[in-house]
Amino acid sequence: MDYPITTVARLAGTTSRTLRHYADVGLLEPSRVGANGYRFYDAMALVRLQRILLLRSLGLPIPAIRALLDDDAAAPAAALRAHLDHLRGEQQRLDRQITAVLTTVEALERGEEPMPEKMFDGFDHARYREEVEERWGIDAYAHGDAWWRGRSDAEKDAFGREAAELGAGWIDAATRGVPPTDGGAQELAGRHVAWLSSVPGVPRDEDGELLPEYVRGLGAMYVQDPRFAVNYGGLGGAEFVRAALEAWLSRSGR
């Protein structure tokens, strides 16, 4: 069974114009085109559209999304399961936020003072605290946590945008087959290290530079942990980032 473009646009909360644009850039082709030029989409096209919308919501550019989808074309269910894991994590975080806000509202309506220990559940960035402390020590987490909590909303947004832009840049370079030692990949590696260096408390040498072991450890973690690999398009992208960071360290004599 297939569906006309207007129905698909309505179901997906998008527009026919957007769907036609996706076809023009090679992102989503209709499964068939009627004699009158009308476009129709079958179940697999809808699965691809669902993934497109998920990846767009993560801020990935169209070229990177197209490359990712083409690489995963043979196993869309496995790729969607990775998205599902991410969405479930976000769902749990949002559920905690809803409960925290509801608790505050109910306390205020009763004329009571909200309890701070219940107000911010789900809003923190500390869900990796134990891992950070285990890998790099309690001080590393404490410094980073204090730094983050002291940032303004605008500063936090800027930090997040830089992370998203780096992720998109890594995915784009990896999917285009750029060698890790290429100038473009090395520019990304330099930006990545500078981004990491902006956080106080990360391991540094006596000159204030990030410890090479720290950078290499992060590269390995990107590859080994699917939660981080997904930021770079999956295992292949994470391996590309690791190789580029290693090349950057070598070029820097580290």
Side-chain angles (χ1 to χ4, degrees):
M1 182 176 181
D2 52 23
Y3 303 86
I5 189 171
T6 51
T7 299
V8 173
R10 176 177 57 81
L11 291 172
T14 186
T15 65
S16 298
R17 179 178 180 180
T18 296
L19 294 177
R20 287 192 292 270
H21 173 66
Y22 286 165
D24 292 342
V25 297
L27 190 59
L28 178 69
E29 296 289 346
S31 53
R32 70 179 179 90
V33 179
N36 58 358
Y38 216 61
R39 304 178 186 212
F40 293 83
Y41 299 81
D42 61 14
M44 291 310 298
L46 297 185
V47 169
R48 187 175 174 96
L49 176 59
Q50 184 184 57
R51 292 197 62 203
I52 290 169
L53 297 178
L54 284 169
L55 293 168
R56 288 293 282 168
S57 72
L58 296 175
L60 295 185
I62 284 178
I65 293 175
R66 183 174 59 238
L68 283 172
L69 296 185
D70 290 346
D71 285 346
D72 295 336
L80 276 171
R81 186 164 292 281
H83 293 312
L84 184 60
D85 290 341
H86 171 78
L87 291 172
R88 281 175 173 158
E90 287 299 294
Q91 182 184 45
Q92 293 171 3
R93 183 179 63 83
L94 289 173
D95 285 343
R96 290 167 57 203
Q97 287 186 355
I98 290 170
T99 299
V101 172
L102 180 60
T103 300
T104 300
V105 169
E106 290 175 344
L108 292 173
E109 289 177 342
R110 292 192 302 267
E112 300 174 356
E113 183 175 328
M115 300 178 66
E117 62 269 22
K118 294 184 177 180
M119 291 175 66
F120 303 107
D121 187 35
F123 290 87
D124 64 278
H125 64 289
R127 55 189 181 275
Y128 302 127
R129 176 174 182 167
E130 291 183 0
E131 294 177 48
V132 172
E133 292 180 345
E134 182 179 351
R135 287 176 182 270
W136 296 295
I138 294 175
D139 288 344
Y141 176 82
H143 282 299
D145 181 66
W147 169 82
W148 180 256
R149 294 183 186 278
R151 300 302 88 192
S152 67
D153 289 343
E155 289 171 329
K156 290 178 179 178
D157 288 343
F159 188 83
R161 283 196 303 273
E162 177 67 9
E165 290 172 3
L166 279 170
W170 282 121
I171 291 172
D172 180 60
T175 53
R176 287 190 292 109
V178 174
T181 55
D182 180 80
Q186 289 303 289
E187 179 184 359
L188 279 169
R191 283 178 55 198
H192 199 96
V193 172
W195 173 68
L196 293 170
S197 298
S198 68
V199 181
V202 294
R204 303 176 189 272
D205 60 22
E206 58 186 14
D207 296 322
E209 301 290 338
L210 288 184
L211 284 177
E213 293 81 4
Y214 173 69
V215 178
R216 290 187 175 97
L218 286 177
M221 185 175 67
Y222 296 157
V223 173
Q224 296 165 2
D225 193 327
R227 295 172 302 171
F228 296 97
V230 71
N231 295 319
Y232 307 108
L235 178 60
E239 290 175 339
F240 172 72
V241 176
R242 180 178 62 180
L245 289 174
E246 181 61 43
W248 187 89
L249 289 170
S250 297
R251 286 188 175 187
S252 303
R254 306 176 69 191

